[in-house]
């Protein structure tokens, strides 16, 4: 694998061989279109996680009961294509060893090779996408692998994408989303009815959370903040709607945390808690 040795996520003490969950970071932000710094996200989210308790009172579940290993960060030396290939191969390695991948970004472009690898391991996956932005451009600054293109690229490998919290994007992206039957797009967070529709498809699910789905008041530490978003509590409560179908979840990530703009640390701690709650919900179903 292509992992460096860095600090651990809270309670990530399990050895790789016996772990169910493997956390890994991708400290990459070279296609960031506004404010760079997401490359520092994985390590800061890990650091912030130590401010959390292992117990979730809302779920009545404890992280000490989950077998979690932190595989550190993917080596990002080299050009973007090399980073994509290493991330893809690293994710494939985890999946071949029957691990549940838990990725910390980095900018959103790094979700693409993870989604590609997961789509090859599990037939016909659903991507559930929380974000402020459509991420459906064909290219941005002449780069089809930009963070602004990650969902468009992922459509080469998946047939169902459910987008929530989307409130920004150019006219062509919105037209594409509204007219492509593979995509369900909403400016709101998921409802019970939305989750029922996803459950009825009875397919494996990959969840990707761009932290800018939150309002900048709750997540200032991100590269492309967008007003009129959601509170951290609203987002986490919406994730709880998926609790009963987390047995179908085969991997997840949180991306776009940019510590240089997170002077209070609230964005990193929000990302840590989102990851903790998703690990707990999956572990209960494991």
């Amino acid at each position: 694998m292509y992992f460096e040795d860095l600090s651990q996520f809270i309670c990530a003490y399990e050895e790789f061989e016996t772990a169910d969950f493997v956390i890994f970071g991708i400290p990459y932000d070279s296609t960031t279109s506004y404010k760079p710094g997401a490359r520092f996200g994985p390590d800061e989210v890990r650091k912030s996680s130590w401010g959390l308790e292992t117990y979730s009172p809302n779920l009545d579940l404890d992280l000490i009961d989950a077998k979690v290993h932190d595989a550190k960060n993917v080596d990002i030396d080299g050009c973007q294509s090399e980073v994509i290939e290493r991330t893809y191969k690293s994710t494939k390695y985890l999946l071949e060893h029957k691990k549940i991948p838990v990725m910390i970004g980095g900018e959103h472009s790094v979700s693409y090779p993870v989604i590609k690898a997961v789509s090859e391991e599990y037939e016909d996956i659903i991507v559930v996408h929380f974000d402020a932005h459509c991420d459906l451009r064909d290219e941005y600054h002449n780069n089809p692998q930009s963070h602004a293109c990650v969902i468009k690229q992922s459509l080469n490998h998946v047939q169902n994408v459910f987008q929530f919290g989307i409130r920004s994007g150019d006219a062509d992206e919105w037209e594409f989303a509204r007219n492509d039957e593979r995509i369900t797009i909403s400016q709101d967070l998921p409802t019970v009815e939305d989750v029922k529709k996803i459950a009825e498809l009875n397919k494996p699910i990959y969840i990707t959370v761009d932290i800018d789905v939150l309002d900048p008041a709750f997540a200032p530490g991100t590269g492309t903040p967008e007003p009129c978003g959601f509170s951290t509590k609203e987002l986490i409560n919406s994730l709880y709607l998926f609790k009963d179908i987390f047995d179908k979840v085969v991997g997840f990530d949180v991306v776009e945390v940019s510590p240089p703009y997170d002077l209070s640390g609230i964005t990193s701690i929000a990302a840590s808690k989102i990851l903790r709650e998703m690990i707990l919900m999956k572990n209960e179903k494991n």
Side-chain angles (χ1 to χ4, degrees), residues 34-93:
Y34 184 29
K35 298 190 292 186
R39 63 188 180 276
F40 303 113
D43 294 341
E44 193 62 31
V45 171
R46 288 183 175 100
K47 187 187 299 182
S48 295
S49 76
W50 285 90
L52 291 174
E53 303 286 356
T54 60
Y55 176 70
S56 170
N58 288 336
L59 295 172
D60 190 24
L61 297 171
D62 201 308
L63 203 57
I64 62 174
D65 297 320
K67 295 180 179 180
V68 184
H69 175 76
D70 189 343
K72 322 310 176 193
N73 290 346
V74 172
D75 178 5
I76 63 161
D77 285 344
C79 65
Q80 186 183 22
S81 62
E82 292 173 313
V83 174
I84 289 171
E85 183 67 11
R86 286 193 206 105
T87 301
Y88 167 76
K89 288 182 176 179
S90 297
T91 308
K92 290 283 283 187
Y93 181 90

Side-chain angles (χ1 to χ4, degrees), residues 243-262:
K243 184 174 183 290
D244 289 342
I245 60 169
F246 245 76
D247 58 316
K248 304 298 291 184
V249 173
V250 294
F252 43 87
D253 66 52
V254 176
V255 299
E256 296 283 0
V257 173
S258 185
Y261 305 98
D262 192 30

Side-chain angles (χ1 to χ4, degrees), residues 72 82 128 135 174 259:
K72 322 310 176 193
E82 292 173 313
V128 175
D135 290 349
W174 281 95

Side-chain angles (χ1 to χ4, degrees), residues 121-152:
E121 180 71 17
Y122 297 95
E123 185 177 353
D124 199 9
I125 69 168
I126 296 168
V127 171
V128 175
H129 173 218
F130 293 87
D131 205 323
H133 306 88
C134 296
D135 290 349
L136 287 168
R137 295 174 187 260
D138 291 320
E139 54 83 23
Y140 193 70
H141 292 168
N142 297 315
N143 183 0
Q145 293 291 350
S146 167
H147 73 148
C149 310
V150 61
I151 299 302
K152 190 65 172 292

Side-chain angles (χ1 to χ4, degrees), residues 8-24 46 49 54 62-72 99-102 104 252 275-276 278-280 282-283 286:
Q8 291 181 317
F9 192 83
I10 183 175
C11 273
Y13 298 131
E14 194 76 19
E15 295 297 325
F16 178 86
E17 291 74 17
T18 54
D20 295 320
F21 300 87
V22 175
I23 293 171
F24 62 107
R46 288 183 175 100
S49 76
T54 60
D62 201 308
L63 203 57
I64 62 174
D65 297 320
K67 295 180 179 180
V68 184
H69 175 76
D70 189 343
K72 322 310 176 193
K99 310 303 179 184
I100 300 159
V102 180
I104 312 172
F252 43 87
L275 288 169
R276 185 192 73 179
M278 288 199 287
I279 291 170
L280 289 174
K282 176 61 178 176
N283 191 59
N286 227 23

